[in-house]
Amino acid sequence: MRTLLIANWKMHYGPMKAGGWVRAFRRERLPKEIDIAVAVPHVSLAAARASLGRASIPALASQNSFWAKEGAYTGEVSPDMLQEFGVQYCLVGHSERRALLGETDEMVGKKAAALQSAGIVPVICVGENEAQNKKGEVNKILRQQVTAALAGLKPEGKTPFVFAYEPIWSIGTGKACPAQKAKEAHEVIRAAIQKKFSASLADKVRVIYGGSVDANNISEYITTTGVNGALVGGASLDPRAFAFLCRTANPA
Ligand code: 13P
C-alpha cells in the first residue's frame, strides 16, 4: 500500500502565498514512491492549481466540502466545484470543524458520500478528545464516528476513501500519540470497515495518523503496521521542511 502524506495548512496562506508554497515545494526533491497531497483553503485552490500546472505532485486537496450539488447554501462549496480545480482528496469532519462549527457524524457521512459520488476521495477525520481518552472511551468513540461516516459510502474504486485518526489531544500540542496506541486505534477503524463491508476492503483502505507529526517522528509512524501515512498540520507550513518530512517518510 502506498504511503499517503497530506499537508493540512488549515486557515493559512491565501491566494497570494499559496502559489509560492507550491513552487518552493516543487523545487525540492520529492519521492515518487509515496502519495503527497496538499489541503489548501478554498480561496487558494485556484492559485495552487495555477502554480501546479499539469504537475501531479502534490495532489490538490480541499479542507472541506458541502454535500449538495448546488442550491441555496450560502457560503458553501460543492464537490463538483472542487472537481473543477482537479481536487483529488477532501478532508471531512476535521475535529476543529466538529468542535467549532458543530459538524455532526451525520453531516460528516453526507459530505463523505457526496465527495465520493463526485470522484473525490474523502479523507474522514476521526478521533477522541482528552476526556474521552482518559475515560477509556477511544474505541467506542471511533466505532461511532467511523460507522456514521460509512453510512452512505460505496466500497468501489481504487481508493474508495481514507480515514485519518487524529486524537484531539495531540493536535497542535506537540503531544504525539505513541505509535503503538495509533496502531490500536487504526485496528478499531479497520474492524468497523470490515463489519460494514469486508476484510478485503478494510485491508485496502488507507488509515493515516495525524497529530503533532513532524520530520522527527514520521518514520516511527509509517513503519508501524496499519499506519499508512500522515495528516500533517504545523509541520507542513514550511514547504522545504514538509518536503524533508516527505523524503524522510520514503522507505526507499
Ligand atoms: P498538527 O500537525 O499541527 O498537530 O495538526 C494536526 C492536524 O490537525 C492535521 O489535520
Side-chain angles (χ1 to χ4, degrees), residues 42 64-70 72-73 75-80 82 90 107 110-112 114-115:
H42 286 156
N64 178 41
S65 167
F66 194 60
W67 55 78
K69 269 184 163 314
E70 62 179 9
Y73 307 103
E76 292 299 325
V77 165
S78 74
D80 287 352
L82 299 174
C90 181
M107 289 157 81
K110 282 161 79 171
K111 290 179 177 205
L115 284 159

Side-chain angles (χ1 to χ4, degrees), residues 6-10 91 94-96 125 164 166-168 170-176 209-214 230-237:
I6 307 179
N8 176 14
W9 291 354
K10 307 193 178 183
L91 308 184
H94 193 283
S95 59
E96 287 148 16
C125 304
E166 294 209 307
I168 297 169
S170 79
I171 296 178
T173 57
K175 283 194 265 171
Y209 168 77
S212 297
V213 173
D214 58 25
L231 183 51
V232 184
S236 75
L237 290 177

